Amino acid sequence: MSHPHRTTLRTLRRFLVLAAVGVLSAATALASAPPAAAEPATAVPYPVGASATRYSGLAFDTCTAPPLTAMQAWAASPYRAVGVYIGGVNRTCAQPQLTASWVASVSKMKWRLLPIYKGLQPPCGGRPTDAKISSDAATARSQGAEAAADAIAKAKALGMRPGSAFYNDIENYVQTDATCRTAVLSYVSAWTKELHRLGYVSGVYMNLNLGSKQLSDVYTSTAYARPDALWIARYDGVDSLTGWTNIADSKWAAHQRAKQFKGSHNETYGGVTLNIDSDRLDTPVATVAYTYTAKSSTMLNARTGPSTGYPAAKSYAPNSSLEVVCQAPGSTVGSTRVWDKLSDGTYVTDYYVSTPSKATYSAPLPRCTYPYQTTAPRGVTERSGPGTSYTAVGKSPNGSLAWVYCQRAGSAVGTTKIWDRMDNGRYVSDYYVATPSKTTYSKPAPRC
C-alpha cells in the first residue's frame, strides 16, 4: 500500500484478501477422507474469552491512523472499517494516534478495525532498504513465528482480543525464484501456525499477480499451514471478491476474502480529506471489548455459558462496569434471549446490561463465533440438523471457515458424535472441522 507519506519505492501492495461468499451447492454425502491433523488446516485452541469478529463492506486504509476528529467526520462516508498498521519491523509511518484509547473510541463509533502487520519482506522483493525474510526455510519459519508473537503483543497493548485476525503485509517479489518462494511460504506458514496456537486468526495481504497465486498454489499442500483469510491488491477499480485470476472461487470461500481495489487517492467526507486505499472486505477483523454497565437491582450472576442452566462463576454489583466481547443466544430472561460474553469468558443476560436493546442484539457488538477451517478434501456437507439423516442444504469447500457458534451431539462420523452449528444455522460434522478435539466438545463454543 503506497501513500504520499510512504517511501516512493513501494510498488504493488499487499493483498487484501479475505474470503467473501460462502460457496454453497446442493451436496450429498460427507467427504470420506479423515480430517487434517496439522497442515494445511491447523487447529485453533481459542481461549475462553475469545471470539472472532467479521465485517462485510467497504473499508479504507491509511499509512498513519487518522485522528479521532477525522474518524468522526468520516462517519458520513460509505466506509465502516479502517486498516491500521499495528507493527512490524518494516512499518513505515509513525502512529501517534494508534493507542488503546483510540481503538476503544473508534470502536465505540462502530468502526471495525483491520489490523495490518508489516514485518520482514521477501528476500527477492520489497524495497531495497527493507529487512528481509531469510532465504533459509528453517530460519524463515522461526521469523514467521516471531512475527506472530510480536503482532499479538502489539495488538494486546491496543486492546485487541483473542480471536482477532491479523494481516501480514507481504509486498511483491520475483515469482520465478524458487528459493525465495519457499522462504515466503515458510514464513507465512509459521505465522499462521503460531497465531492459531495462541488463539488468533491468520490473514495475509499480497498482490494478486505477484504473490497470492503462489499462496493459492499450495492451498492443499501439507507442507504449509493455510492462512484463514486472503487480502489481495489489484487496482482495477473492481471491488468483486470473486473471479480472481488464478484463484478459484472455492478457495478462501466463506467470509475469508478482501480486495484492495483502488490505490492512493484523496477522498473527503465531513470536511476532512484523507489519502487512502479503498478496500472491499468480507472477512475476519479485530475483536475488541465494549464497556457497559450492570443494570440489575441485585447482584448480577456471570455464568459459564449463555443460560441460567449454567453455573454462576462470579457476580457483579449494580452499576458495575462490564467488558462485553460479543453476544450469543441463550435462555430467556425478561424480554430477551441474548446473553453477553465478557472478556473473562463468562456470560451475563443482556436483560440487565446497559446495551441499547432489551429484546435483540445491539450494534456494534458482534455475535460470538469461533472460526475453524474445514478439512474434507471434497468439501463437507452442511445439514439442517446434527446428523447424517438430516437434509443436505449446502456444502463448505475444503479450507473454508466454519463459523461455529455452538456444538451439540448427533450421529457419529469418524471418531466423534459432535456437530458444529455455524452462524448460518447449518450443521457440519466436527470430524471435518479443525477444532482442537476430534472426540468431544471444544471450548469455548457453548452447547447448542
Side-chain angles (χ1 to χ4, degrees), residues 9 12 42 100 114 162 169 230 233 246 327 343 375 378 384:
L9 290 176
L12 297 165
T42 57
L114 183 70
D169 178 350
L230 179 61
N246 296 316
Q327 295 185 309
S343 58
T375 60
R378 296 192 300 276
S384 60

Side-chain angles (χ1 to χ4, degrees), residues 300 308 330-339 349-353 357-360:
L300 176 61
T308 54
S331 63
T332 301
V333 176
S335 57
T336 187
R337 293 185 64 244
V338 176
W339 285 69
T349 173
D350 189 58
Y351 188 69
Y352 294 114
V353 181
S357 176
K358 282 294 148 284
T360 188

Side-chain angles (χ1 to χ4, degrees), residues 56-201:
S56 180
L58 289 174
F60 73 91
D61 60 272
T62 62
C63 192
T64 299
L68 287 177
T69 51
M71 298 303 294
Q72 290 170 335
W74 273 50
S77 77
Y79 304 103
R80 290 296 175 267
V82 56
V84 291
Y85 284 88
I86 61 172
V89 65
N90 287 313
R91 182 174 70 171
T92 304
C93 295
Q95 300 293 341
Q97 306 295 332
L98 190 55
T99 63
S101 175
W102 185 91
V103 167
S105 296
V106 298
S107 296
K108 190 175 181 180
M109 295 178 201
K110 300 183 180 181
W111 287 95
R112 298 297 190 201
L113 300 176
L114 183 70
I116 305 161
Y117 185 87
K118 191 156 191 281
L120 298 172
Q121 293 301 302
C124 60
R127 302 168 301 184
T129 56
D130 284 340
K132 306 288 188 177
I133 298 167
S134 172
S135 294
D136 176 72
T139 304
R141 286 192 292 271
S142 296
Q143 292 170 330
E146 290 168 1
D150 186 52
I152 290 170
K154 297 291 195 302
K156 281 184 175 179
L158 294 171
M160 297 179 186
R161 308 283 312 166
S164 292
F166 306 137
Y167 292 83
N168 200 317
D169 178 350
I170 304 292
E171 296 294 331
N172 57 291
Y173 59 97
V174 178
Q175 303 297 286
T176 55
D177 188 325
T179 300
C180 181
R181 170 185 180 273
T182 299
V184 172
L185 294 175
S186 298
Y187 176 87
V188 169
S189 176
W191 156 269
T192 296
K193 289 182 72 173
E194 186 67 1
L195 287 179
H196 283 183
R197 187 181 74 84
L198 297 173
Y200 292 81
V201 179

Side-chain angles (χ1 to χ4, degrees), residues 191-411:
W191 156 269
T192 296
K193 289 182 72 173
E194 186 67 1
L195 287 179
H196 283 183
R197 187 181 74 84
L198 297 173
Y200 292 81
V201 179
S202 167
V204 178
Y205 167 92
M206 287 181 168
N207 183 277
L208 177 59
N209 296 322
L210 299 173
S212 61
K213 179 187 181 299
Q214 297 197 340
L215 197 62
S216 177
D217 287 344
V218 296
Y219 188 83
T220 59
S221 171
T222 57
Y224 303 105
R226 180 172 50 229
D228 301 300
L230 179 61
W231 177 13
I232 65 162
R234 174 68 169 168
Y235 303 141
D236 55 7
V238 178
D239 66 355
S240 175
L241 296 177
T242 58
W244 293 350
T245 303
N246 296 316
I247 300 178
D249 288 345
S250 59
K251 296 180 178 180
W252 295 288
H255 311 291
Q256 297 165 267
R257 290 190 174 201
K259 181 180 180 181
Q260 189 178 72
F261 61 89
K262 189 174 183 180
S264 293
H265 63 285
N266 290 339
E267 292 191 25
T268 303
Y269 297 99
V272 175
T273 300
L274 296 175
N275 183 265
I276 67 168
D277 300 326
S278 295
D279 312 293
R280 168 70 66 179
L281 311 185
D282 185 10
T283 183
V285 291
T287 294
V288 299
Y290 300 84
T291 301
Y292 294 97
T293 304
K295 288 300 183 181
S296 55
S297 57
T298 59
M299 298 295 287
L300 176 61
N301 284 330
R303 300 182 178 275
T304 58
S307 168
T308 54
Y310 284 91
K314 62 196 315 183
S315 58
Y316 291 90
N319 298 315
S320 295
S321 291
L322 305 172
E323 284 195 343
V324 181
V325 172
C326 58
Q327 295 185 309
S331 63
T332 301
V333 176
S335 57
T336 187
R337 293 185 64 244
V338 176
W339 285 69
D340 300 330
K341 183 176 181 179
L342 306 184
S343 58
D344 64 359
T346 61
Y347 293 79
V348 295
T349 173
D350 189 58
Y351 188 69
Y352 294 114
V353 181
S354 64
T355 53
S357 176
K358 282 294 148 284
T360 188
Y361 299 94
S362 295
L365 287 166
R367 306 287 180 90
C368 300
T369 54
Y370 313 94
Y372 306 91
Q373 293 184 29
T374 58
T375 60
R378 296 192 300 276
V380 59
T381 300
E382 301 174 357
R383 296 188 178 274
S384 60
T388 54
S389 63
Y390 285 88
T391 304
V393 290
K395 195 167 190 176
S396 292
N398 180 31
S400 63
L401 287 181
W403 293 82
V404 178
Y405 80 83
C406 64
Q407 297 181 309
R408 64 177 295 181
S411 64

